[in-house]
Amino acid sequence: QIQLAQLAAASLPSNVIQYWGLGNELWNNIYQGYFGPQGMGQPYNRATNPNDPDYARINTPPADPYERMVRLIGLEFARMAKRFLSVFGQGAYGTRLRPVLESQHANPWMISTPLAWLSLPAQVAEFGPVNSYCWSISGAPYPAGEWHEMDEVRSPTPESIVSGLRSGYSYDLPFMMAAADGWLAVKNQYGIAELSAYEGIAPHTDGPSPTANSVNKYGAHLHPD
């Protein structure tokens, strides 16, 4: 990470604001074999392995395996952010460098839990206040419905898709906005400067009919309502 930060600092213009994040998909513990052996390794497996060098630390106070897992992600995020700041300098924080902790938008606890743990005295003593190195918390809001819901009608119209976005899809707009309220509360609680989003919400193309309804899906995203 130090070498990556050095490369980023040297290669990108000084007026470019750099967002460097850690967390995207790491929470996806159901795919424990998805992650390679390097870096974070397999977060859930690491968090439940008593031989892992961070096991005792993330187990205080006691927690269930999933809570330990997101604490581990928070710990690795703090290490990453501080390494980048050691290269860029603290003066670059928020101007040129904005470290971002990412997680699943529908579950704000995956952000609030590691932030609460990073705010305990032991972590503050090592890394400082969380808002001195975590500029942004970020989720991937998908107010686009799930692909199977958008595709369940053979020939949907922009109007029918917009109706589903308003209320009806599993990840409809009201659902995602309610989750956003939870994120905003976490942002304010920990004095985080910015609430952001990652991963674009262009209509999914990985369903059983990946292109059949693309025109209407794109049209719905440009719908005046």
Side-chain angles (χ1 to χ4, degrees), residues 37-172:
Q38 305 301 319
M40 274 293 294
Q42 299 174 355
Y44 183 86
N45 290 345
R46 276 193 58 193
T48 55
N49 178 9
N51 295 319
D52 187 90
D54 290 317
Y55 180 84
R57 182 172 186 176
I58 60 173
N59 198 41
T60 53
D64 66 35
Y66 300 100
E67 189 170 339
R68 288 199 302 271
M69 182 190 70
V70 292
R71 287 179 183 176
L72 177 62
I73 292 170
L75 175 59
E76 293 288 7
F77 164 75
R79 288 168 174 164
M80 180 276 293
K82 296 299 286 188
R83 286 166 184 156
F84 268 73
L85 284 167
S86 72
V87 172
F88 280 76
Q90 190 66 39
Y93 180 65
T95 55
R96 191 181 179 197
L97 177 67
R98 295 182 178 180
V100 51
L101 177 59
E102 305 160 326
S103 192
Q104 186 184 33
H105 184 79
N107 292 296
W109 75 269
M110 292 181 177
I111 286 289
S112 62
T113 298
L115 291 180
W117 183 79
L118 288 169
S119 297
L120 294 177
Q123 282 65 253
V124 173
E126 178 175 354
F127 301 113
V130 69
N131 62 1
S132 69
Y133 59 86
C134 179
W135 178 267
S136 177
I137 54 175
S138 187
Y142 288 106
E146 296 180 348
W147 57 259
H148 66 271
E149 294 174 311
M150 300 182 104
D151 280 344
E152 64 186 3
V153 179
R154 185 174 299 275
S155 298
T157 64
E159 286 72 25
S160 69
I161 294 173
V162 169
S163 178
L165 296 177
R166 287 174 174 160
S167 180
Y169 293 149
S170 298
Y171 280 64
D172 62 14

